[in-house]
Amino acid sequence: MESILTSGLEQGLLYCFMVLGVFITFRVLDFPDLTVDGSLPLGAAVTAALVANGQSPLTATLAGVGAGLCAGVVTGLLHIVLKSGESDATNYGPKLLAGILTMTALYTVNLRVMGRSNTPLLNVETLFDKLAAFLSISMTNWQTIAALAVLAVLVKYVLDWFLHTEFGLCLQATGDNEQMIRALGTNTDFTRVIGLSLANGLVALSGSLVAQQQGFADVGMGIGTIVAGLAGVIMGEVLFGMRNISWVLFSVIGGSIVYRLLIAVSLRLGIAPTDLKLLTAALVVVALAVPTVRRKVVRA
C-alpha cells in the first residue's frame, strides 16, 4: 500500500506542472493546445542531452524549460499566421492546427537534440542527486516527494501572483471574452503568445524532471500527454471545486495527484500497461459526466 501511495504522489507531483500548463491553455486561454505532446519530451530531450554531455543539472533543467517556452512562442506565432479575420474566439481550427504543426515538428527536433530516440541518464548526476548532496541526505521516495511538493507550491504561488497582475488579468480576459478585451486596446495576439509560452514552459519542466527521475529521456514519452493533462484538470475541478483562481490552481495539482494514484492502483490490480490509455480516456469521460449527473440528481 505504501508503494502505491509513494508512486502516485511522486508521479502526480512530477506531472502537476504539465497539468498546470494544460490548465492555462484550456481553461485560462480557451486554447486547445496540442503542442504539449511535443513540448514535454522536448524538455526531457534538451535536459538529457546537456546532462549526458557533462552540463550542470540545474542549467540543463533551465534550458529544457527555455526550450518549452520557445515551443509555445512558435505555436502562438503560427496561430497568428493561420487565423483569418480579427478574432477567432469561436473558431478552433487555427488553434488546433497551430498546435498540431508544432507538435509534429517537435518530434524531429527532439530526435535531432538527442541524436537518437532514447538517451539514458545512468551514472550521471541529476538535479535530484545535486539536491541530495546539498542537503547531505539520501534521496528516498519520501524525500523526493517533499522536494517536489515544495517546488509545486512555489510554482503555484508564483502563478497565482502572475495571474493577479495586470497582464495576468488581461490573459484571463483574453480567454473569457476576446472581443471585449481587444476593444479595450489590448493586443490579444501578444497576450496569447505569452500565455502559450508560459504553459509549454511548465510542460517542459515536467518533462525535464521526469527524465531525471526515471533515468532516461525518450522521444515517445509525450504520447497522450494532452489527455492525461485534461484528466488532471477535470478531476481537480470536479473533486475540489472552482471557488477562485487561487483555489483552482491547488485543485489542478490535487487532480494530477489523484489521477496518478488511480493509475498506480489500477496497475496494482492487474491492469496491463498497454490498457492505460483506454483507462485514461474512461476516467476523463467519467469526470466530465459527474457534474451533469450531479445537477440532474439535485433537480430531481
Side-chain angles (χ1 to χ4, degrees):
M1 184 62 184
E2 183 179 355
S3 63
I4 295 177
L5 180 61
T6 56
S7 175
L9 285 172
E10 188 173 334
Q11 292 297 306
L13 289 168
L14 281 169
Y15 284 100
C16 74
F17 309 104
M18 176 271 292
V19 179
L20 285 169
V22 172
F23 168 76
I24 290 173
T25 55
F26 273 81
R27 288 291 190 252
V28 176
L29 285 174
D30 191 29
F31 193 108
D33 183 23
L34 301 183
T35 310
V36 296
D37 276 22
S39 56
L40 186 134
L42 174 65
V46 171
T47 299
L50 290 174
V51 171
N53 282 282
Q55 294 296 320
S56 164
L58 179 58
T59 301
T61 301
L62 293 176
V65 173
L69 294 172
C70 293
V73 170
V74 171
T75 299
L77 294 177
L78 280 175
H79 171 253
I80 293 172
V81 171
L82 293 171
K83 73 174 184 175
S84 58
E86 292 188 357
S87 173
D88 63 340
T90 58
N91 181 12
Y92 289 105
K95 298 177 180 179
L96 288 169
L97 184 56
I100 290 171
L101 289 173
T102 307
M103 175 188 67
T104 304
L106 285 177
Y107 185 86
T108 299
V109 171
N110 294 335
L111 284 173
R112 289 286 187 179
V113 168
M114 293 191 291
R116 47 186 170 175
S117 62
N118 185 289
T119 298
L121 295 177
L122 302 175
N123 302 319
V124 297
E125 191 177 45
T126 65
L127 194 62
F128 298 102
D129 297 325
K130 277 277 191 183
L131 182 61
F134 177 75
L135 298 176
S136 299
I137 60 174
S138 58
M139 212 65 175
T140 64
N141 286 339
W142 285 110
Q143 274 78 24
T144 302
I145 290 169
L148 290 171
V150 170
L151 180 59
V153 170
L154 178 62
V155 170
K156 183 270 174 195
Y157 278 109
V158 171
L159 271 179
D160 194 3
W161 166 80
F162 172 74
L163 290 174
H164 283 89
T165 62
E166 183 178 350
F167 185 84
L169 292 173
C170 289
L171 195 70
Q172 295 181 64
T174 298
D176 290 336
N177 193 327
E178 182 182 348
Q179 289 88 348
M180 180 197 73
I181 196 68
R182 187 185 288 270
L184 293 175
T186 299
N187 186 336
T188 55
D189 288 336
F190 174 75
T191 303
R192 188 176 286 113
V193 169
I194 298 301
L196 289 169
S197 178
L198 174 62
N200 282 282
L202 288 169
V203 175
L205 173 60
S206 267
S208 175
L209 294 175
V210 169
Q212 294 179 79
Q213 188 272 337
Q214 68 185 10
F216 68 91
D218 188 88
V219 73
M221 65 189 292
I223 296 174
T225 297
I226 187 64
V227 179
L230 281 174
V233 171
I234 295 168
M235 284 185 180
E237 293 174 347
V238 170
L239 294 175
F240 305 107
M242 299 180 290
R243 302 175 191 172
N244 51 56
I245 191 66
S246 300
W247 179 257
V248 171
L249 292 175
F250 267 131
S251 297
V252 167
I253 294 173
S256 174
I257 293 172
V258 170
Y259 168 70
R260 295 295 166 177
L261 282 171
L262 289 174
I263 294 296
V265 170
S266 300
L267 289 173
R268 180 58 62 93
L269 292 176
I271 292 181
T274 52
D275 296 335
L276 288 181
K277 301 300 181 185
L278 177 61
L279 176 64
T280 297
L283 289 173
V284 172
V285 172
V286 171
L288 286 171
V290 167
T292 303
V293 174
R294 186 185 296 166
R295 283 194 297 269
K296 288 183 178 180
V297 170
V298 171
R299 289 174 183 173

